[in-house]
Amino acid sequence: MRDTVEMTEMTKEDVTAMILSAKKQAGLTWEEIAERIDMSPVWTHSAAMGMNAFPRKKPS
């Protein structure tokens, strides 16, 4: 059994599960994550769930 998954083999659902797991392990809320990246909590959650794309550069 492999310990890692190659990026080409990951689905959107795989990435979502990884994000949710990391969020839970860190004990953070969407509001706390949003504050750290200076984005809104609604946008942060929807982007992390694959409903929005992260911009290459954050808008000013």
Side-chain angles (χ1 to χ4, degrees):
M1 187 167 117
R2 295 183 337 192
D3 290 338
T4 59
V5 176
E6 292 182 36
M7 290 300 288
T8 57
E9 297 177 13
M10 295 181 74
T11 66
K12 186 162 115 175
E13 290 78 17
D14 293 331
V15 175
T16 297
M18 289 173 58
I19 291 169
L20 291 173
S21 176
K23 176 184 167 291
K24 183 176 181 176
Q25 284 184 326
L28 295 171
T29 65
W30 289 117
E31 290 78 10
E32 292 167 327
I33 295 168
E35 186 176 312
R36 290 181 183 196
I37 64 171
D38 197 28
M39 298 296 276
S40 79
V42 172
W43 180 89
T44 301
H45 177 260
S46 65
M49 297 298 102
M51 296 177 220
N52 286 323
F54 283 89
R56 289 197 184 273
K57 292 185 177 181
K58 194 175 100 182
S60 311

